[in-house]
Amino acid sequence: MKKIVFYSIAVISFCIGSKLSVNAQSTTPSIVLSKEEQKIIQYIDANMPRAIALLKESADINSGTLNIAGVRKVGAIFAREFEKAKFKTKWIPMPDSLRRAGHLVASTGFNNAAIDPNKKNKIKETAKINKGKKLFLIGHLDTVFEPDMPANPFTMLNDSTATGQGVTDMKGGDVVMIIALQALQEQGLLKDANIIAYLTGDEEHAGNPIEVSRGDFIETAKQTEIALAFEGANGLNSVATARRGASSWLLNVKAKTGHSSGVFTPYAGYGAIYEAARIINEFRVQLSTEKYLTFNPGVFIGGSEMNYDETKATGTAIGKTNIISPAVVVTGDLRFLTEEQKLNARKKMQTIVNESLIGTKSTIQFEDGIPSMAPTEGNDKVLEVIIKVTKDMGVGPTVAGDPGSRGAGDISYIAAYVDCIDGLGSSGKGAHAPGEIIHLNELPYLIKRAALTIYRLTR
Ligand SMILES: [Zn+2]
């Protein structure tokens, strides 16, 4: 492809109406984009009012994870927009027992066979003919804001900032993905592309069991090569090449009970509360300085009689100061960057648990939650493409963000199968809190970054 150099158009185009924190002209003197890429940029600039209207339309529908009708409504709006980009759409329903809305899947290329598990061979044949990488784009339709929480209609706070439910987590990200695809479609640049966009309806509170709520998501992703997720962007020049995983643990301590005057003696022992305190403190002493590893006890209950209800994360305890406590329950989380780090931490925690004080006996159970998206060479290769895109756009290189700054996300479920990048969505502040905002002045830049990245990966 013939690369041409031009100076003024793109510099102006992504600064229009904005106070970008990146000064394009000072970063590099020239902008190197192909003719097709310039057209993509121009389309996005011309369609920004439509992008913001779509954001407002989707944010003004409450789609709390448990609001099934609301999530489906948002799904219908985005399906309409994918269809404008000539994508085929379908709805993946969830069994009633999960109490979740389901997921929106939109695809182009693959002859739409990609989302039909019975036609796997056909997919392979089709993909061979087509050029470029097979992409899996990830968004979500739900937000943390349920209908019984205070409403926050889409409102402009000033000329470049808006608030609304899920504006940046992640209806803004969905809009970035959709407008980028429409820009490519409009220039006829998706003809040979194989792209599946998967917008889950329960990212904020995934339905149980995960095998059901994420089964189709995982199987569909396996038919692709690179996953791009549109969760919130951490600044203009950063994407996520890794995300930590989350899991949980439950510590059960049993001990001899008796009169408190005998505590610390060989016959009465130390009681469950001292033993649980030893274990938790030892976790901190031995493991708290390991990079990217965190664990937090969330509930700690002990006494002479105690009850813990795991499903409701609630409990009661009765005790007297002159009785040695016979029972304690502690629950906590465990966040990690790699599977290896998780397993090593569990091993050390198990060893600490086994070193029981006299008169006590403890067990710890570990439960997997969301896997991690570990940093890989493959992810770095995709990052290189994005670095080139942002350099060519004249805004300097993109860097890999700190994995410790992000929680777990949908992309983590498939990180073991495809190369992954997250954080390609919109930029804002206050996700998961009332008054969440989106920086609209950065939105055109982020849509262009996404569009050019998808364009180059599918060549
Ligand atoms: Zn999100």
Side-chain angles (χ1 to χ4, degrees):
M1 183 178 302
K2 196 181 158 216
K3 297 274 179 194
I4 69 146
V5 179
F6 74 109
Y7 294 85
S8 56
I9 298 169
V11 173
I12 293 163
S13 66
F14 64 72
C15 294
I16 282 173
S18 71
K19 298 173 208 128
L20 275 183
S21 54
V22 175
N23 185 333
Q25 273 163 314
S26 71
T27 317
T28 58
S30 67
I31 300 204
V32 187
L33 297 174
S34 70
K35 253 187 195 150
E36 286 89 349
E37 290 175 333
Q38 293 172 50
K39 281 190 187 153
I40 295 168
I41 299 278
Q42 285 157 11
Y43 173 94
I44 293 166
D45 281 324
N47 282 272
M48 282 314 295
R50 211 167 57 73
I52 290 165
L54 178 60
L55 176 63
K56 178 182 186 321
E57 183 187 8
S58 59
D60 278 347
I61 293 166
N62 178 284
S63 63
T65 312
L66 304 178
N67 179 4
I68 290 176
V71 173
R72 287 200 179 133
K73 246 181 171 173
V74 173
I77 289 172
F78 289 151
R80 180 194 76 204
E81 295 299 319
F82 278 112
E83 282 157 18
K84 281 184 194 166
K86 304 277 187 298
F87 275 57
K88 298 224 167 83
T89 64
K90 70 183 270 186
W91 189 256
I92 307 290
M94 289 291 113
D96 289 349
S97 58
L98 266 73
R99 286 168 291 143
R100 294 296 184 275
H103 315 306
L104 171 66
V105 182
S107 66
T108 190
F110 297 103
N111 287 342
N112 212 33
I115 46 183
D116 184 343
N118 300 321
K119 295 182 185 166
K120 277 188 183 158
N121 291 332
K122 196 174 168 191
I123 295 157
K124 276 183 197 150
E125 286 163 24
T126 315
K128 246 184 236 166
I129 302 160
N130 292 328
K131 296 175 224 155
K133 295 287 184 190
K134 286 167 269 174
L135 303 186
F136 190 69
L137 311 183
I138 302 170
H140 63 82
L141 306 167
D142 63 321
T143 72
V144 295
F145 305 103
E146 296 296 337
D148 59 355
M149 294 162 84
N152 180 25
F154 184 89
T155 310
M156 293 298 298
L157 299 176
N158 57 47
D159 63 356
S160 63
T161 312
T163 184
Q165 290 181 338
V167 279
T168 201
D169 184 14
M170 67 175 282
K171 286 167 182 173
D174 297 329
V175 168
V176 169
M177 181 203 301
I178 288 167
I179 301 294
L181 293 172
Q182 289 177 346
L184 297 175
Q185 165 60 34
E186 200 61 33
Q187 314 305 322
L189 300 172
L190 290 179
K191 270 181 229 144
D192 296 326
N194 290 296
I195 302 173
I196 301 172
Y198 209 114
L199 281 69
T200 58
D202 59 350
E203 196 274 343
E204 300 292 1
H205 189 182
N208 259 323
I210 287 294
E211 294 74 39
V212 177
S213 65
R214 289 298 176 274
D216 181 75
F217 179 82
I218 294 167
E219 286 311 308
T220 305
K222 282 181 185 171
Q223 298 160 23
T224 65
E225 295 161 295
I226 295 172
L228 304 175
F230 289 78
E231 290 281 8
N234 257 344
L236 291 175
N237 288 73
S238 162
V239 292
T241 55
R243 293 184 73 148
R244 294 197 297 166
S247 63
S248 62
W249 48 269
L250 172 71
L251 174 70
N252 245 302
V253 182
K254 299 275 182 239
K256 274 195 221 169
T257 184
H259 197 283
S260 63
S261 58
V263 74
F264 311 141
T265 60
Y267 62 89
Y270 287 77
I273 290 180
Y274 270 122
E275 170 62 353
R278 176 195 70 81
I279 292 169
I280 299 303
N281 190 52
E282 206 55 33
F283 286 174
R284 180 186 64 81
V285 170
Q286 293 191 29
L287 290 162
S288 66
T289 54
E290 191 174 322
K291 202 172 184 195
Y292 301 130
L293 182 73
T294 60
F295 40 93
N296 175 60
V299 175
F300 193 127
I301 308 171
S304 21
E305 275 177 52
M306 71 101 207
N307 285 296
Y308 175 64
D309 182 338
E310 206 181 337
T311 51
K312 290 183 184 155
T314 176
T316 56
I318 303 168
K320 281 188 171 173
T321 55
N322 61 359
I323 301 172
I324 297 173
S325 161
V328 168
V329 161
V330 188
T331 66
D333 71 347
L334 176 73
R335 291 167 192 271
F336 52 91
L337 191 58
T338 63
E339 204 53 19
E340 191 189 3
Q341 183 174 48
K342 178 188 85 181
L343 295 175
N344 281 340
R346 285 180 178 180
K347 213 169 143 191
K348 282 185 192 164
M349 290 166 91
Q350 185 65 60
T351 305
I352 292 165
V353 168
N354 293 347
E355 293 160 352
S356 307
L357 288 171
I358 295 166
T360 71
K361 178 91 191 118
S362 308
T363 57
I364 188 164
Q365 289 166 268
F366 298 101
E367 201 180 321
D368 282 333
I370 303 177
S372 71
M373 171 178 143
T376 66
E377 263 176 45
N379 299 357
D380 285 343
K381 279 198 180 135
V382 185
L383 173 63
E384 275 167 33
V385 174
I386 299 170
I387 290 171
K388 183 86 170 54
V389 164
T390 53
K391 276 187 179 171
D392 290 351
M393 285 175 70
V395 292
T398 291
V399 296
D402 174 12
S405 70
R406 276 178 194 268
D410 269 341
I411 196 168
S412 308
Y413 291 111
I414 56 162
Y417 312 110
V418 291
D419 298 331
C420 292
I421 294 284
D422 204 342
L424 287 165
S426 59
S427 59
K429 251 194 268 176
H432 292 202
E436 169 185 357
I437 59 162
I438 180 169
H439 301 308
L440 292 175
N441 54 344
E442 296 178 347
L443 195 59
Y445 166 82
L446 292 165
I447 298 174
K448 290 167 196 173
R449 179 175 78 170
L452 296 187
T453 299
I454 294 169
Y455 172 72
R456 291 186 182 184
L457 287 172
T458 49
R459 292 305 101 190

